[in-house]
Amino acid sequence: MLTVYGLKNCDTCRKALRWLDDHGIAHRFHDLRADGIALADIRRFAKAAGWETLLNKAGTTWRGLPKGKTAQVGEAEALKLMAEHPALIKRPVFEHGKGDVVVGFRDPQKAALQALAEAGSR
């Protein structure tokens, strides 16, 4: 089954959930704020997709952090920040099983999700 990690108030996450429903792709939603997220999960996502891909630098949470925390951030600091501030995780994150991870929701990610769904139905 596909797990969708995101925020319930995120427009992109809502669009992704509707798209999954419309395409008959079974999924469950994990709210990063309400349900929390373990550092081990963030590490797993980062290993699969790259920590730079996973870190959301475009949002208000990133802009609200002190410059000392954001200047020249490396992987270890980024993972710790994402654990402390789940809104720093780029959304949505899709995980199929415990290894296939897709981050974001544009056409390439949609194609990857369809491929995962097709592979899982075989």
Side-chain angles (χ1 to χ4, degrees):
M1 171 162 304
L2 187 70
T3 301
V4 182
Y5 294 86
L7 299 174
K8 69 178 180 179
N9 293 329
C10 171
D11 288 338
T12 304
C13 293
R14 288 194 294 248
K15 287 177 191 174
L17 293 171
R18 270 193 307 271
W19 184 87
L20 292 169
D21 286 338
D22 291 347
H23 286 80
I25 300 173
H27 62 279
R28 74 173 190 86
F29 182 70
H30 181 101
D31 189 295
L32 293 169
R33 282 199 183 113
D35 302 326
I37 186 80
L39 183 56
D41 294 326
I42 297 169
R43 283 191 180 120
R44 189 173 65 251
F45 301 160
K47 184 177 180 183
W51 70 269
E52 297 95 341
T53 299
L54 192 61
L55 181 61
N56 178 11
K57 291 183 177 181
T60 57
T61 302
W62 178 260
R63 290 190 302 267
L65 292 173
K67 293 290 182 201
K69 285 195 172 205
T70 60
Q72 303 206 7
V73 66
E75 182 175 5
E77 298 86 8
L79 297 177
K80 183 179 175 196
L81 283 171
M82 286 185 269
E84 291 172 12
H85 308 278
L88 288 175
I89 298 172
K90 194 173 289 180
R91 303 171 300 274
V93 174
F94 304 91
E95 185 178 36
H96 188 263
K98 288 285 184 191
D100 293 315
V101 174
V102 176
V103 178
F105 190 65
R106 294 191 177 190
D107 287 340
Q109 289 86 359
K110 290 176 187 177
L113 292 169
Q114 284 183 311
L116 285 173
E118 289 170 10
S121 66
R122 290 182 198 158

